[in-house]
Amino acid sequence: SAVISQKPSRDICQRGTSLTIQCQVDSQVTMMFWYRQQPGQSLTLIATANQGSEATYESGFVIDKFPISRPNLTFSTLTVSNMSPEDSSIYLCSVGQRNRGYTFGSGTRLTVV
Amino acid sequence: QKEVEQDPGPLSVPEGAIVSLNCTYSNSAFQYFMWYRQYSRKGPELLMYTYSSGNKEDGRFTAQVDKSSKYISLFIRDSQPSDSATYLCAMYQGGSEKLVFGKGTKLTVNP
């Protein structure tokens, strides 16, 4: 299965600022996925990123708040914009294929103060 | 009603015990089912992947799917302290790549 490197592993940010999270995969993949894991809550899909097209966002998530880039088949970034304490969470990227399962990065633990 | 329900525990067992972890779901369109293990401060690690009803075994782990009851289980035999982690069930529909997760069950195996 693919190996995913995610940076930063953790960060503490001031409210109103933005943080960009990077996800690097060791092989070319068509789709990359971004998830959020809030304390005590289920992992929730934010958006799906295909190379060469706009990301597809799930209900409750918007591009202005979570812009995503997907410049090539091994890399993606997720930006958390204009942060508030409610954005404190773990953000995870994932790759995989239907019929084979999905692999996750180690996550970015974000605290907004 | 949430799409996927999972008892968050915590669940504490002695070493060597058989552990049973369960999830129920409401969406009959779910066809693919997974179990992930997540250690503290780590990302989820895929343990088991199943399609359709039935059992699948891998070492000490057995995944069971009962589509008629909308119920999935993960059994861990001869549990070890290294099995202490949070276990997440996840599932998705055919034609979709969106995983829907349970909240996870925190397991502690005591030596």
Side-chain angles (χ1 to χ4, degrees):
Chain A
S1 58
V3 176
I4 301 173
S5 300
Q6 196 173 330
K7 294 180 182 179
S9 60
R10 61 191 307 146
D11 208 340
I12 301 173
C13 300
Q14 297 290 322
R15 68 177 67 200
T17 63
S18 297
L19 175 71
T20 295
I21 302 166
Q22 299 179 4
C23 181
Q24 178 76 51
V25 189
D26 69 344
S27 58
Q28 294 185 341
V29 294
T30 304
M31 291 186 177
M32 296 178 76
F33 306 90
W34 288 98
Y35 283 82
R36 182 173 73 181
Q37 189 174 29
Q38 293 181 303
Q41 301 299 315
S42 310
L43 266 154
T44 302
L45 181 64
I46 297 171
T48 302
N50 287 335
Q51 194 267 336
S53 64
E54 292 284 334
T56 302
Y57 289 82
E58 296 297 313
S59 175
F61 298 96
V62 295
I63 187 171
D64 290 346
K65 178 67 176 177
F66 298 102
I68 288 171
S69 78
R70 183 77 203 275
N72 58 53
L73 290 172
T74 63
F75 186 80
S76 178
T77 66
L78 170 77
T79 299
V80 186
S81 302
N82 188 24
M83 289 183 285
S84 66
E86 291 71 36
D87 295 318
S88 296
S89 187
I90 301 172
Y91 293 86
L92 297 133
C93 77
S94 174
V95 301
Q97 286 184 341
R98 209 177 303 152
N99 304 329
R100 293 188 183 181
Y102 297 83
T103 302
F104 284 82
S106 55
T108 296
R109 186 177 295 267
L110 170 63
T111 302
V112 183
V113 297
Chain B
Q1 181 185 9
K2 279 194 168 288
E3 278 194 292
V4 180
E5 299 275 6
Q6 183 178 8
D7 186 339
L11 182 61
S12 182
V13 301
E15 184 175 353
I18 296 175
V19 177
S20 173
L21 304 165
N22 312 293
C23 288
T24 59
Y25 62 95
S26 57
N27 187 347
S28 58
F30 287 137
Q31 293 182 311
Y32 302 88
F33 305 91
M34 283 152 285
W35 285 96
Y36 285 86
R37 176 174 62 195
Q38 187 173 23
Y39 291 114
S40 180
R41 302 186 183 279
K42 299 289 186 183
E45 170 195 8
L46 181 63
L47 275 180
M48 300 288 284
Y49 177 90
T50 56
Y51 170 71
S52 77
S53 289
N55 292 357
K56 182 176 181 180
E57 189 173 319
D58 184 0
R60 296 185 294 111
F61 298 92
T62 299
Q64 197 171 75
V65 174
D66 182 349
K67 280 190 169 182
S68 62
S69 302
K70 299 191 184 69
Y71 188 87
I72 68 170
S73 301
L74 178 71
F75 298 95
I76 307 174
R77 290 184 298 280
D78 187 24
S79 56
Q80 303 295 310
S82 58
D83 295 327
S84 299
T86 297
Y87 290 80
L88 309 167
C89 65
M91 52 199 76
Y92 63 98
Q93 304 178 40
S96 168
E97 305 251 13
K98 175 185 175 181
L99 299 186
V100 180
F101 282 84
K103 287 188 177 182
T105 300
K106 185 172 183 179
L107 171 68
T108 300
V109 180
N110 301 300

